[in-house]
């Protein structure tokens, strides 16, 4: 009798558990990776279950009543490489929309492409990383910024903890290009002055990305030998695409943490036509504290941003998206003598106000003219204004210091692109098009010491052909042209790659590309006859898939830099070693540089609750001025090592606990020595550019930890998380400067331990 009662009780409990189990919906569209034409009769399976289906004529697939939690999709079809998509997470009250892009199979082997949810839309065979929002949300201390996630990749070094400026393969951070919806835009980061020497704004980085992770979709990060489509970049490209809102259900997200308050909403505009909206607003936590009169050592830091993406699909005229983003930020410093000690360093004698605003808006159009031909167009405007003032605070000790300083820079780009992508009957691919950009720049820095206004055109046509040699070799041949009318400069940049299929799980590839980049506006203010900086990239890559969970890649690279900037007054001052912000000086062409190294990367995708990303880079970055021999550049750290590991425990399908750890160890960067005698005379920092960079910073070490708890209910998902940046409170050198108040050279250190608490609702 007791046994029967126990069996009945267990049966009832199992029934209640099954009844309470949360489920969700997975759907999406399967397309050709090049033409984005919808593919029908493609089989889609949920790995580890009996659930499978085939895509309809529209390329769409759908699964209902799928148990929530981690899952994988397997996609296969005749003539296409089988794809296994990992690291997917289904929540109970949100639809998981996963669009798949398949590549045609080039061999008769049973190939399997193992990926995360973000496809390689660049077409690059080497030096490319696909970034997913799920990774941005899971990796420790990213602050939900894809640029900070990139610091976990091989060959990428953060130049300062306070910002997302990145040195890629020993290059100056100025060499990076930001893209949105396939178009180059101005710097899309808040607080471009974060962590810089003298609070000057940098060109390509800042405290955090203005686009919340809630808005982002597919992202590709390229680090060398870019395909022909990409121009005006020397070191890397962060290619961001906006996510389309859910066109069937209304969904909302609220997030509160030390980054700020983040609110997002999405849903259908017209369910029958499939149109949708996605909107996000964010206000910084430090800004909220500032409204209450709370500052950080006298600094009042604020930012806010708004972004929207509207999608209007149409079979007749093609898919149209309309998007916009904008943000403003400020950093105001006024010495707060709470302890009554008086000023302790030079900065305490000044009031420094930094204000910036950035915006971008555009429209994109894509239309399949036939199943093998895609036509894509875009019109995008982006603009940025940085304004900085520095003046002596009322204090009798400051009467002999430097006069007030006021800097302002404006830059904007109005760009149009038209691109055709065609899959040929022979199996080859043809991509051609052009980017036409109207640039407008104006500046006045250091009280007018450097000033000017530059309006001009940049036209970039390109052509790329891809084909097969036999059944195991794929090649790409192309060219990109840069035509900059301000300086009457034109370049022709050949691009090529060759990949060999060594087996079902191995590939060997080689790539070459010549690349060029425009100079910063403050540089053209001193000399408008300067040529573009040129760079030749060579990459050799070996890729090995290990089962269906892991991947190993080894890449050797060499980069030769021509017509780099050189100082007419100092032999050892070159473009590779500029600090990345305005510094009035007379510059010319004539310097050279080179970077070369080896990257080893092992990636174990999140599987059974465990993931691992480990890589090591050994490299050299060298420069040569107008004479002499090569010397170590500012960003020659010799080695970069990253180790990121994480584990999730599922107490039930509705409750997941996870912890992730990242360890990074970098060789110290270099700097010029400070001429103390000259600094004392001029009462400001004067570097000795008459000798190489003789100051070598200590090696950099940092550990980051992330702990999170996810709970999934029928109508609400919640996640608690805490990120601790610099868990061991390591002191890493930021820079050195001459402090006129103390009369000596001081060392500034990067951020210590910072805990970042965050709470997220999805409903």
């Amino acid at each position: 009798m007791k046994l029967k009662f126990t069996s009945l009780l267990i049966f009832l409990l199992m029934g209640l558990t099954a009844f309470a189990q949360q489920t969700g919906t997975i759907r999406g569209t399967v397309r050709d990776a090049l033409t984005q034409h919808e593919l029908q009769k493609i089989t889609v399976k949920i790995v580890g279950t009996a659930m499978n289906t085939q895509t309809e004529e529209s390329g769409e697939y759908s699964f209902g009543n799928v148990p929530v939690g981690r899952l994988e999709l397997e996609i296969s079809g005749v003539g296409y490489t089988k794809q296994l998509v990992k690291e997917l997470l289904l929540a109970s009250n949100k639809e998981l929309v996963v669009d798949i892009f398949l590549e045609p199979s080039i061999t008769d082997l049973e190939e399997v492409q193992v990926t995360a949810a973000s496809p390689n839309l660049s077409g690059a065979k080497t030096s490319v990383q696909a970034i997913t929002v799920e990774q941005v949300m899971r990796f420790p201390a990213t602050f939900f910024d894809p640029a900070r996630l990139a610091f976990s990749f091989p060959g990428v070094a953060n130049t300062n903890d306070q910002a997302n400026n990145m040195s890629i393969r020993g290059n100056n951070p100025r060499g990076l290009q930001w893209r949105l919806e396939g178009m180059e835009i101005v710097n899309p980061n808040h607080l471009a002055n974060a962590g810089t020497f003298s609070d000057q704004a940098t060109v390509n980085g800042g405290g955090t990305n203005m686009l919340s992770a809630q808005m982002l979709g597919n992202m590709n990060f390229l680090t060398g030998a870019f395909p022909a489509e990409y121009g005006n970049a020397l070191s890397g490209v962060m290619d961001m695409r906006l996510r389309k809102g859910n066109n069937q259900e209304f969904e909302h997200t609220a997030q509160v943490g030390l980054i700020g308050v983040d609110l997002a909403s999405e849903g259908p505009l017209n369910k029958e036509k499939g149109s949708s909206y996605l909107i996000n607003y964010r206000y910084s936590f430090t800004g909220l504290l500032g409204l209450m009169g709370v500052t950080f050592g006298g600094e009042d830091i604020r930012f806010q941003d708004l972004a929207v993406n509207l999608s209007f699909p149409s079979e007749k005229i093609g898919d149209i998206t309309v998007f916009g983003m904008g943000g403003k930020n400020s950093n105001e410093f006024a010495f707060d003598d709470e302890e009554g000690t008086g000023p302790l360093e030079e900065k305490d004698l000044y009031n420094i106000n930094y204000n910036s605003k950035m915006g971008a808006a555009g429209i994109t159009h894509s239309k399949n003219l036939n199943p093998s031909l895609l036509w894509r167009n875009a019109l995008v405007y982006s603009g940025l204004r940085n304004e900085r003032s520095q003046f002596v605070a009322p204090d009798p000790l400051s009467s002999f210091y430097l006069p007030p300083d006021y800097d302002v820079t404006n830059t904007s780009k109005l760009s149009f692109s038209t691109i055709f992508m065609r899959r040929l009957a022979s199996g080859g691919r043809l991509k051609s098009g052009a980017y036409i950009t109207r640039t407008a720049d104006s500046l006045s820095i250091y009280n007018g010491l450097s000033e000017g206004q530059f309006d001009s055109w940049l036209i970039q046509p390109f052509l790329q052909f891809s084909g097969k040699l036999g059944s195991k070799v794929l090649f790409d041949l192309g060219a990109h042209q840069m035509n900059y009318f301000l300086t009457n400069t034109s370049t022709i940049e050949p691009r090529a790659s060759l990949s060999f299929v060594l087996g079902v799980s191995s590939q060997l590839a080689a790539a070459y590309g010549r690349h060029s980049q425009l100079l910063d506006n403050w540089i053209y203010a001193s000399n408008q006859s300067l040529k573009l900086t040129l760079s030749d990239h060579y990459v050799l890559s070996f890729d090995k898939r290990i089962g269906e969970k892991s991947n190993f890649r080894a890449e050797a690279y060499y980069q030769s830099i021509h017509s780099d900037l050189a100082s007419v007054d100092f032999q050892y001052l070159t473009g590779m070693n500029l600090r990345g912000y305005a510094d009035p000086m007379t510059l010319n062409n004539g310097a050279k540089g080179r970077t070369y190294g080896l990257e080893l990367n092992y990636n174990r995708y999140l599987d059974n609750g465990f993931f691992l990303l480990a890589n090591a880079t050994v490299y050299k970055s060298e420069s040569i001025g107008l004479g002499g021999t090569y010397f170590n550049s500012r960003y020659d750290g010799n080695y970069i090592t990253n180790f990121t590991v994480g584990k999730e425990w599922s107490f039930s399908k509705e409750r997941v606990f996870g912890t992730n750890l990242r360890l990074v160890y970098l060789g110290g960067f270099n700097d010029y020595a400070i001429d103390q005698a000259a600094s004392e005379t001029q009462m400001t920092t004067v570097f000795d550019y008459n000798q190489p960079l003789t100051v070598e910073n200590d090696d950099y070490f940092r550990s980051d930890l992330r702990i999170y708890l996810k709970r999934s209910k029928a109508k609400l998902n919640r996640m608690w998380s805490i990120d601790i940046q610099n868990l061991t409170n390591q002191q890493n050198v930021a820079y050195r400067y001459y402090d006129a108040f103390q009369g000596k050279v001081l060392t500034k250190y990067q951020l210590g331990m910072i805990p970042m608490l965050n709470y997220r609702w999805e409903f």
Side-chain angles (χ1 to χ4, degrees), residues 205-225:
T208 188
N209 198 319
M210 285 189 188
L211 276 172
S212 167
Q214 323 260 62
M215 294 294 300
L216 294 171
N218 300 322
M219 291 170 282
N220 287 172
F221 178 57
L222 297 91
T223 58

Side-chain angles (χ1 to χ4, degrees), residues 98-404:
V98 184
D99 292 328
I100 306 297
F101 297 85
L102 293 182
E103 291 281 359
S105 177
I106 64 171
T107 72
D108 296 330
L109 301 173
E110 188 65 23
E111 302 171 83
V112 178
Q113 182 184 14
V114 182
T115 71
S118 189
N120 177 8
L121 298 178
S122 69
K125 302 297 186 298
T126 64
S127 305
V128 61
Q129 298 277 355
I131 298 176
T132 69
V133 173
E134 191 276 339
Q135 292 169 331
V136 174
M137 302 294 289
R138 171 164 45 95
F139 274 53
T142 65
F143 303 154
F144 314 123
D145 181 347
R148 290 182 182 268
L149 173 66
F151 297 145
S152 300
F153 297 150
V156 184
N158 187 3
T159 63
N160 194 296
D161 288 342
Q162 295 187 45
N164 58 19
N165 294 281
M166 62 182 77
S167 172
I168 301 171
R169 293 180 171 176
N171 280 277
N172 193 302
R174 296 165 49 246
L176 175 71
Q177 178 189 104
W178 290 89
R179 282 194 169 203
L180 181 62
E181 293 296 282
M183 304 291 284
E184 181 183 359
I185 59 172
V186 299
N187 184 9
N189 290 289
H190 286 299
L191 303 168
N193 68 327
T196 65
F197 179 81
S198 74
D199 289 297
Q200 294 287 338
T202 57
V203 177
N204 280 334
T208 188
N209 198 319
M210 285 189 188
L211 276 172
S212 167
Q214 323 260 62
M215 294 294 300
L216 294 171
N218 300 322
M219 291 170 282
N220 287 172
F221 178 57
L222 297 91
T223 58
F226 323 126
E229 181 179 351
Y230 296 90
N232 198 27
L234 283 184
S235 66
V237 178
M238 180 62 77
D239 192 355
M240 304 180 296
R241 308 295 171 100
L242 296 174
R243 180 173 64 87
K244 295 181 180 179
N246 193 321
N247 59 10
Q248 297 297 319
E249 301 291 339
F250 290 99
E251 299 177 343
H252 315 285
T253 301
Q255 187 167 274
V256 178
L258 291 184
I259 288 292
V261 178
D262 202 334
L263 306 173
S265 178
E266 61 185 285
L269 294 173
N270 187 313
K271 285 188 178 182
E272 294 183 359
K273 295 183 178 181
S275 57
S276 66
Y277 76 91
L278 171 63
I279 187 169
N280 190 94
Y281 174 74
R282 182 171 55 172
Y283 195 91
S284 63
F285 179 75
T286 54
L288 294 174
L289 293 178
L291 294 175
M292 295 184 289
V294 179
T295 64
F296 299 85
E299 293 200 66
D300 184 346
I301 304 171
R302 308 183 188 193
F303 67 81
Q304 60 180 313
D305 48 62
L306 175 69
V308 62
N309 189 32
L310 308 177
S311 174
F312 304 95
S314 170
E315 290 188 12
K316 185 176 181 180
I317 64 175
D319 294 346
I320 294 176
T321 63
V322 179
F323 66 91
M325 61 169 287
K328 61 180 183 178
N329 52 94
S330 64
N331 184 354
E332 299 181 355
F333 173 80
F335 177 55
D336 185 359
D337 193 11
E338 291 183 352
E339 299 179 358
T341 59
L344 300 177
E345 59 182 357
E346 180 181 341
K347 185 176 180 180
D348 294 341
L349 303 175
Y350 294 94
N351 286 342
I352 304 174
N353 297 324
Y354 170 81
N355 290 274
S356 179
K357 55 184 178 181
M358 180 269 177
I363 181 170
T364 69
H365 166 260
S366 60
K367 169 69 175 174
N368 280 111
L369 302 180
N370 59 54
S372 61
L373 179 61
L374 175 68
W375 182 31
R376 190 179 71 197
N377 303 285
L379 178 66
V380 176
Y381 169 83
S382 63
L384 171 66
R385 177 182 175 87
N386 289 318
E387 188 174 358
R388 174 186 174 275
S389 64
Q390 174 178 307
F391 55 92
V392 177
D395 191 291
L397 296 174
S398 61
S399 59
F400 55 88
Y401 283 91
L402 296 177

